[in-house]
Amino acid sequence: MDMQHVADKGLVLLGCGKMGSAMLAGWLERDLPPASVWVIDPKPSDWLKGTGVHLNADLPERPAIVLIAVKPQMMGEALPTIAAMGGGGTLFVSVAAGTPIEAFEAAFGSDSPIIRAMPNTPAAVGRGITAIVGNDEVSGDQMDLAEALLKAVGQVVRLEGEHQMDAVTGVSGSGPAYVFHMIECMAQAGEAEGLSPELAMQLAQATVAGAGALAEAADETPAQLRENVTSPNGTTQAGLEVLMDEDTGLPPLMKATVKAAADRSKELRRG
């Protein structure tokens, strides 16, 4: 099963907000024909209207794949529009946060192949990372297809089981917000040391973005990269002694942050 199969059978995108739009843009750039895509969205953007896809039109009976990208609170009214496609070989992929596979099995039938995916917001600029896991009905080819589609917005990793989704939520799902806050805090600290707000923010944004790009591109581990720029008794060491304090620094704070997000994910899942 490959992209040609998708082009032949059709792809249905349920919901086309920021995440749906980012994915659709990536697919179209990778030469998926607009005529092979059906989008259901109550408030289509001007960009979406200009793509040439089928918009809020009658759906194919047995598309290759249905990608569910509606907000969780919209799920109840959205799923009935595609429920009839269950059990017919159509692959369902959900990028809706918090909705477990069993909820889709209840809607489409347990004989339907269903993949749950957790992307994150850097997908909007093609730098996301998405974790995926499927039910027992999903074939190897279908996992490969979902991975190929989701690579349009960044990296893809496969989980051992759905139980890991809460931890993924705590690290990469919610994680961009932690980094955004770190940028805010670095800029405020720069202001406190005498920089203008504009300059402090520019320095903080570029430093975090550049360090992230270097960490991803380098052969060394982040720990080694940190050591490379830490001269004995230098400025970096002075800063790190505060940041790396095992009682008051970043290690216990980040552990507590990720745990709090993962715990809330578990609470929401239990309802």
mmCIF file of all heavy atoms in Angstrom, residues 64-94:
data_model
loop_
_atom_site.group_PDB
_atom_site.id
_atom_site.type_symbol
_atom_site.label_atom_id
_atom_site.label_comp_id
_atom_site.label_asym_id
_atom_site.label_seq_id
_atom_site.Cartn_x
_atom_site.Cartn_y
_atom_site.Cartn_z
ATOM 1 N N ALA A 64 -9.022 4.968 0.661
ATOM 2 C CA ALA A 64 -7.879 4.248 1.220
ATOM 3 C C ALA A 64 -7.672 4.624 2.681
ATOM 4 O O ALA A 64 -7.338 3.775 3.518
ATOM 5 C CB ALA A 64 -6.614 4.580 0.416
ATOM 6 N N ILE A 65 -7.898 5.905 2.983
ATOM 7 C CA ILE A 65 -7.587 6.383 4.320
ATOM 8 C C ILE A 65 -8.496 7.545 4.696
ATOM 9 O O ILE A 65 -8.866 8.364 3.854
ATOM 10 C CB ILE A 65 -6.089 6.799 4.404
ATOM 11 C CG1 ILE A 65 -5.679 7.135 5.830
ATOM 12 C CG2 ILE A 65 -5.775 7.945 3.457
ATOM 13 C CD1 ILE A 65 -4.167 7.199 5.998
ATOM 14 N N VAL A 66 -8.882 7.573 5.958
ATOM 15 C CA VAL A 66 -9.588 8.712 6.535
ATOM 16 C C VAL A 66 -8.709 9.259 7.647
ATOM 17 O O VAL A 66 -8.344 8.528 8.572
ATOM 18 C CB VAL A 66 -10.961 8.321 7.110
ATOM 19 C CG1 VAL A 66 -11.579 9.499 7.864
ATOM 20 C CG2 VAL A 66 -11.897 7.854 6.006
ATOM 21 N N LEU A 67 -8.353 10.529 7.552
ATOM 22 C CA LEU A 67 -7.538 11.150 8.577
ATOM 23 C C LEU A 67 -8.405 12.108 9.393
ATOM 24 O O LEU A 67 -9.008 13.022 8.839
ATOM 25 C CB LEU A 67 -6.350 11.887 7.960
ATOM 26 C CG LEU A 67 -5.182 11.983 8.941
ATOM 27 C CD1 LEU A 67 -3.865 11.720 8.251
ATOM 28 C CD2 LEU A 67 -5.170 13.316 9.647
ATOM 29 N N ILE A 68 -8.504 11.828 10.686
ATOM 30 C CA ILE A 68 -9.402 12.564 11.579
ATOM 31 C C ILE A 68 -8.602 13.639 12.304
ATOM 32 O O ILE A 68 -7.717 13.336 13.115
ATOM 33 C CB ILE A 68 -10.055 11.610 12.588
ATOM 34 C CG1 ILE A 68 -10.819 10.503 11.835
ATOM 35 C CG2 ILE A 68 -10.990 12.352 13.528
ATOM 36 C CD1 ILE A 68 -11.154 9.296 12.673
ATOM 37 N N ALA A 69 -8.888 14.909 11.990
ATOM 38 C CA ALA A 69 -8.122 16.024 12.550
ATOM 39 C C ALA A 69 -9.035 17.079 13.152
ATOM 40 O O ALA A 69 -8.709 18.268 13.134
ATOM 41 C CB ALA A 69 -7.233 16.636 11.469
ATOM 42 N N VAL A 70 -10.181 16.645 13.667
ATOM 43 C CA VAL A 70 -11.086 17.586 14.332
ATOM 44 C C VAL A 70 -10.708 17.693 15.804
ATOM 45 O O VAL A 70 -10.056 16.813 16.357
ATOM 46 C CB VAL A 70 -12.563 17.154 14.208
ATOM 47 C CG1 VAL A 70 -13.014 17.190 12.766
ATOM 48 C CG2 VAL A 70 -12.778 15.760 14.801
ATOM 49 N N LYS A 71 -11.116 18.778 16.443
ATOM 50 C CA LYS A 71 -10.881 18.938 17.873
ATOM 51 C C LYS A 71 -11.695 17.877 18.627
ATOM 52 O O LYS A 71 -12.787 17.502 18.205
ATOM 53 C CB LYS A 71 -11.295 20.338 18.322
ATOM 54 C CG LYS A 71 -10.359 21.438 17.831
ATOM 55 C CD LYS A 71 -10.808 22.798 18.329
ATOM 56 C CE LYS A 71 -9.737 23.851 18.075
ATOM 57 N NZ LYS A 71 -9.386 23.987 16.655
ATOM 58 N N PRO A 72 -11.153 17.370 19.758
ATOM 59 C CA PRO A 72 -11.845 16.299 20.499
ATOM 60 C C PRO A 72 -13.299 16.615 20.812
ATOM 61 O O PRO A 72 -14.155 15.736 20.740
ATOM 62 C CB PRO A 72 -11.007 16.176 21.783
ATOM 63 C CG PRO A 72 -9.640 16.606 21.376
ATOM 64 C CD PRO A 72 -9.845 17.702 20.362
ATOM 65 N N GLN A 73 -13.603 17.892 21.135
ATOM 66 C CA GLN A 73 -14.981 18.236 21.490
ATOM 67 C C GLN A 73 -15.930 18.209 20.295
ATOM 68 O O GLN A 73 -17.155 18.216 20.457
ATOM 69 C CB GLN A 73 -15.036 19.612 22.177
ATOM 70 C CG GLN A 73 -14.474 20.765 21.366
ATOM 71 C CD GLN A 73 -13.005 21.025 21.657
ATOM 72 O OE1 GLN A 73 -12.269 20.088 21.955
ATOM 73 N NE2 GLN A 73 -12.592 22.283 21.584
ATOM 74 N N MET A 74 -15.353 18.189 19.080
ATOM 75 C CA MET A 74 -16.172 18.106 17.865
ATOM 76 C C MET A 74 -16.357 16.669 17.391
ATOM 77 O O MET A 74 -17.072 16.408 16.427
ATOM 78 C CB MET A 74 -15.522 18.917 16.739
ATOM 79 C CG MET A 74 -15.267 20.385 17.069
ATOM 80 S SD MET A 74 -16.799 21.285 17.330
ATOM 81 C CE MET A 74 -17.472 21.262 15.668
ATOM 82 N N MET A 75 -15.708 15.734 18.085
ATOM 83 C CA MET A 75 -15.683 14.350 17.628
ATOM 84 C C MET A 75 -17.085 13.743 17.541
ATOM 85 O O MET A 75 -17.409 13.031 16.591
ATOM 86 C CB MET A 75 -14.813 13.527 18.581
ATOM 87 C CG MET A 75 -14.349 12.216 18.008
ATOM 88 S SD MET A 75 -13.127 12.429 16.704
ATOM 89 C CE MET A 75 -11.713 12.942 17.671
ATOM 90 N N GLY A 76 -17.928 14.040 18.529
ATOM 91 C CA GLY A 76 -19.252 13.426 18.594
ATOM 92 C C GLY A 76 -20.099 13.682 17.358
ATOM 93 O O GLY A 76 -20.793 12.776 16.879
ATOM 94 N N GLU A 77 -20.036 14.888 16.819
ATOM 95 C CA GLU A 77 -20.851 15.192 15.643
ATOM 96 C C GLU A 77 -20.125 14.876 14.347
ATOM 97 O O GLU A 77 -20.761 14.731 13.302
ATOM 98 C CB GLU A 77 -21.276 16.663 15.655
ATOM 99 C CG GLU A 77 -20.155 17.672 15.610
ATOM 100 C CD GLU A 77 -20.684 19.104 15.714
ATOM 101 O OE1 GLU A 77 -21.014 19.543 16.829
ATOM 102 O OE2 GLU A 77 -20.768 19.762 14.670
ATOM 103 N N ALA A 78 -18.808 14.734 14.406
ATOM 104 C CA ALA A 78 -18.041 14.495 13.183
ATOM 105 C C ALA A 78 -18.005 13.018 12.779
ATOM 106 O O ALA A 78 -18.107 12.681 11.595
ATOM 107 C CB ALA A 78 -16.613 15.014 13.354
ATOM 108 N N LEU A 79 -17.890 12.131 13.759
ATOM 109 C CA LEU A 79 -17.700 10.710 13.441
ATOM 110 C C LEU A 79 -18.856 10.072 12.675
ATOM 111 O O LEU A 79 -18.616 9.240 11.792
ATOM 112 C CB LEU A 79 -17.405 9.906 14.711
ATOM 113 C CG LEU A 79 -16.061 10.181 15.392
ATOM 114 C CD1 LEU A 79 -15.813 9.164 16.500
ATOM 115 C CD2 LEU A 79 -14.907 10.161 14.398
ATOM 116 N N PRO A 80 -20.120 10.414 12.960
ATOM 117 C CA PRO A 80 -21.209 9.774 12.203
ATOM 118 C C PRO A 80 -21.117 9.976 10.690
ATOM 119 O O PRO A 80 -21.617 9.147 9.928
ATOM 120 C CB PRO A 80 -22.464 10.459 12.779
ATOM 121 C CG PRO A 80 -22.082 10.837 14.162
ATOM 122 C CD PRO A 80 -20.638 11.245 14.069
ATOM 123 N N THR A 81 -20.451 11.048 10.245
ATOM 124 C CA THR A 81 -20.350 11.300 8.803
ATOM 125 C C THR A 81 -19.459 10.277 8.100
ATOM 126 O O THR A 81 -19.544 10.115 6.881
ATOM 127 C CB THR A 81 -19.787 12.713 8.530
ATOM 128 O OG1 THR A 81 -18.449 12.795 9.040
ATOM 129 C CG2 THR A 81 -20.635 13.783 9.181
ATOM 130 N N ILE A 82 -18.613 9.577 8.869
ATOM 131 C CA ILE A 82 -17.709 8.596 8.245
ATOM 132 C C ILE A 82 -17.882 7.195 8.813
ATOM 133 O O ILE A 82 -17.170 6.271 8.420
ATOM 134 C CB ILE A 82 -16.227 9.028 8.396
ATOM 135 C CG1 ILE A 82 -15.886 9.290 9.871
ATOM 136 C CG2 ILE A 82 -15.940 10.261 7.543
ATOM 137 C CD1 ILE A 82 -14.412 9.510 10.125
ATOM 138 N N ALA A 83 -18.836 7.022 9.733
ATOM 139 C CA ALA A 83 -18.998 5.733 10.420
ATOM 140 C C ALA A 83 -19.255 4.586 9.445
ATOM 141 O O ALA A 83 -18.807 3.451 9.665
ATOM 142 C CB ALA A 83 -20.123 5.824 11.445
ATOM 143 N N ALA A 84 -19.951 4.867 8.351
ATOM 144 C CA ALA A 84 -20.298 3.808 7.398
ATOM 145 C C ALA A 84 -19.083 3.221 6.703
ATOM 146 O O ALA A 84 -19.164 2.151 6.093
ATOM 147 C CB ALA A 84 -21.274 4.356 6.352
ATOM 148 N N MET A 85 -17.933 3.903 6.789
ATOM 149 C CA MET A 85 -16.720 3.401 6.133
ATOM 150 C C MET A 85 -16.020 2.331 6.960
ATOM 151 O O MET A 85 -15.069 1.713 6.498
ATOM 152 C CB MET A 85 -15.738 4.564 5.881
ATOM 153 C CG MET A 85 -16.280 5.613 4.932
ATOM 154 S SD MET A 85 -15.159 7.028 4.825
ATOM 155 C CE MET A 85 -16.136 8.144 3.806
ATOM 156 N N GLY A 86 -16.465 2.105 8.177
ATOM 157 C CA GLY A 86 -15.841 1.111 9.034
ATOM 158 C C GLY A 86 -16.000 -0.303 8.495
ATOM 159 O O GLY A 86 -16.997 -0.633 7.866
ATOM 160 N N GLY A 87 -14.996 -1.124 8.767
ATOM 161 C CA GLY A 87 -15.051 -2.532 8.404
ATOM 162 C C GLY A 87 -14.911 -2.832 6.930
ATOM 163 O O GLY A 87 -15.095 -3.976 6.505
ATOM 164 N N GLY A 88 -14.547 -1.842 6.134
ATOM 165 C CA GLY A 88 -14.449 -2.051 4.689
ATOM 166 C C GLY A 88 -13.063 -1.909 4.118
ATOM 167 O O GLY A 88 -12.905 -1.695 2.917
ATOM 168 N N GLY A 89 -12.052 -1.995 4.982
ATOM 169 C CA GLY A 89 -10.675 -1.897 4.505
ATOM 170 C C GLY A 89 -10.101 -0.498 4.568
ATOM 171 O O GLY A 89 -8.899 -0.314 4.365
ATOM 172 N N THR A 90 -10.943 0.507 4.832
ATOM 173 C CA THR A 90 -10.446 1.872 4.967
ATOM 174 C C THR A 90 -9.636 1.993 6.251
ATOM 175 O O THR A 90 -10.048 1.524 7.312
ATOM 176 C CB THR A 90 -11.620 2.879 5.002
ATOM 177 O OG1 THR A 90 -12.272 2.870 3.735
ATOM 178 C CG2 THR A 90 -11.139 4.283 5.316
ATOM 179 N N LEU A 91 -8.467 2.636 6.150
ATOM 180 C CA LEU A 91 -7.619 2.884 7.311
ATOM 181 C C LEU A 91 -8.011 4.221 7.939
ATOM 182 O O LEU A 91 -8.118 5.233 7.249
ATOM 183 C CB LEU A 91 -6.144 2.921 6.889
ATOM 184 C CG LEU A 91 -5.138 3.387 7.945
ATOM 185 C CD1 LEU A 91 -5.099 2.420 9.118
ATOM 186 C CD2 LEU A 91 -3.751 3.546 7.321
ATOM 187 N N PHE A 92 -8.228 4.207 9.251
ATOM 188 C CA PHE A 92 -8.540 5.435 9.979
ATOM 189 C C PHE A 92 -7.308 5.867 10.764
ATOM 190 O O PHE A 92 -6.721 5.066 11.501
ATOM 191 C CB PHE A 92 -9.711 5.217 10.942
ATOM 192 C CG PHE A 92 -11.006 4.869 10.257
ATOM 193 C CD1 PHE A 92 -11.346 3.526 10.025
ATOM 194 C CD2 PHE A 92 -11.878 5.856 9.828
ATOM 195 C CE1 PHE A 92 -12.533 3.201 9.396
ATOM 196 C CE2 PHE A 92 -13.069 5.528 9.190
ATOM 197 C CZ PHE A 92 -13.398 4.197 8.967
ATOM 198 N N VAL A 93 -6.928 7.118 10.615
ATOM 199 C CA VAL A 93 -5.805 7.681 11.367
ATOM 200 C C VAL A 93 -6.310 8.921 12.090
ATOM 201 O O VAL A 93 -6.858 9.826 11.463
ATOM 202 C CB VAL A 93 -4.620 8.054 10.450
ATOM 203 C CG1 VAL A 93 -3.490 8.684 11.265
ATOM 204 C CG2 VAL A 93 -4.115 6.827 9.704
ATOM 205 N N SER A 94 -6.142 8.958 13.409
ATOM 206 C CA SER A 94 -6.594 10.106 14.188
ATOM 207 C C SER A 94 -5.411 10.885 14.731
ATOM 208 O O SER A 94 -4.484 10.314 15.309
ATOM 209 C CB SER A 94 -7.461 9.648 15.360
ATOM 210 O OG SER A 94 -7.657 10.719 16.270
#
